[in-house]
Amino acid sequence: TGRRLMVATAILHAAVLERGQLGGHGFLAGPYHFGDTDLASMWAVLPHLLPRYFADEPSGTSVGEEGSLPLAMLRYALVDVFYGGRMVEALDRRCVAEMFNKLVAPTSIEDDIVEAERSEE
């Protein structure tokens, strides 16, 4: 789960960077100057926020169930703190929140979805 979270956050970060390159068409108050150091700091903080998901890849952990990955806390950390903390427009924060919902959603990091995608290739 830890590795999948890192990949999902990298994809989210790439989407935010791409959207930022569109200037006023990407974000209302852009450009926001996010860079590789923002992703590196996210990756440095994730194991401290969610230590059980980064300790030797525990088996049997799932997403969205009781006792599993706390998506609300992860959403707050990524959307409201890392990205939203520098965004001045509420609609820009909402846009990043929707990207989080689509790219870091529970289904994007569960085992069965990843296996299903592999079998389709």
Side-chain angles (χ1 to χ4, degrees):
T1 305
R3 285 188 218 133
R4 286 190 180 96
L5 280 173
M6 293 181 83
V7 169
T9 55
I11 292 170
L12 174 66
H13 185 72
V16 169
L17 290 180
E18 282 296 315
R19 192 162 180 99
Q21 289 181 353
L22 298 174
H25 297 289
F27 291 118
L28 294 176
Y32 299 108
H33 300 284
F34 296 112
D36 293 339
T37 55
D38 295 300
L39 179 61
S41 64
M42 271 191 280
W43 283 355
V45 170
L46 277 177
H48 297 287
L49 289 175
L50 306 162
R52 78 181 247 207
Y53 298 98
F54 288 88
D56 297 322
E57 290 297 318
S59 61
T61 56
S62 62
V63 181
E65 297 174 3
E66 187 63 35
S68 64
L69 181 67
L71 280 176
M73 189 267 297
L74 184 62
R75 183 184 185 280
Y76 175 77
L78 295 179
V79 174
D80 295 331
V81 176
F82 280 106
Y83 293 113
R86 290 165 61 184
M87 294 185 164
V88 294
E89 287 287 333
L91 289 175
D92 292 344
R93 286 190 297 275
R94 183 177 172 188
C95 178
V96 173
E98 286 302 314
M99 285 193 281
F100 174 87
N101 291 339
K102 298 292 183 190
L103 300 173
V104 191
T107 55
S108 69
I109 51 180
E110 285 182 340
D111 287 340
D112 55 342
I113 299 299
V114 173
E115 292 299 323
E117 290 175 356
R118 282 191 200 141
S119 66
E120 291 176 2
E121 293 177 358

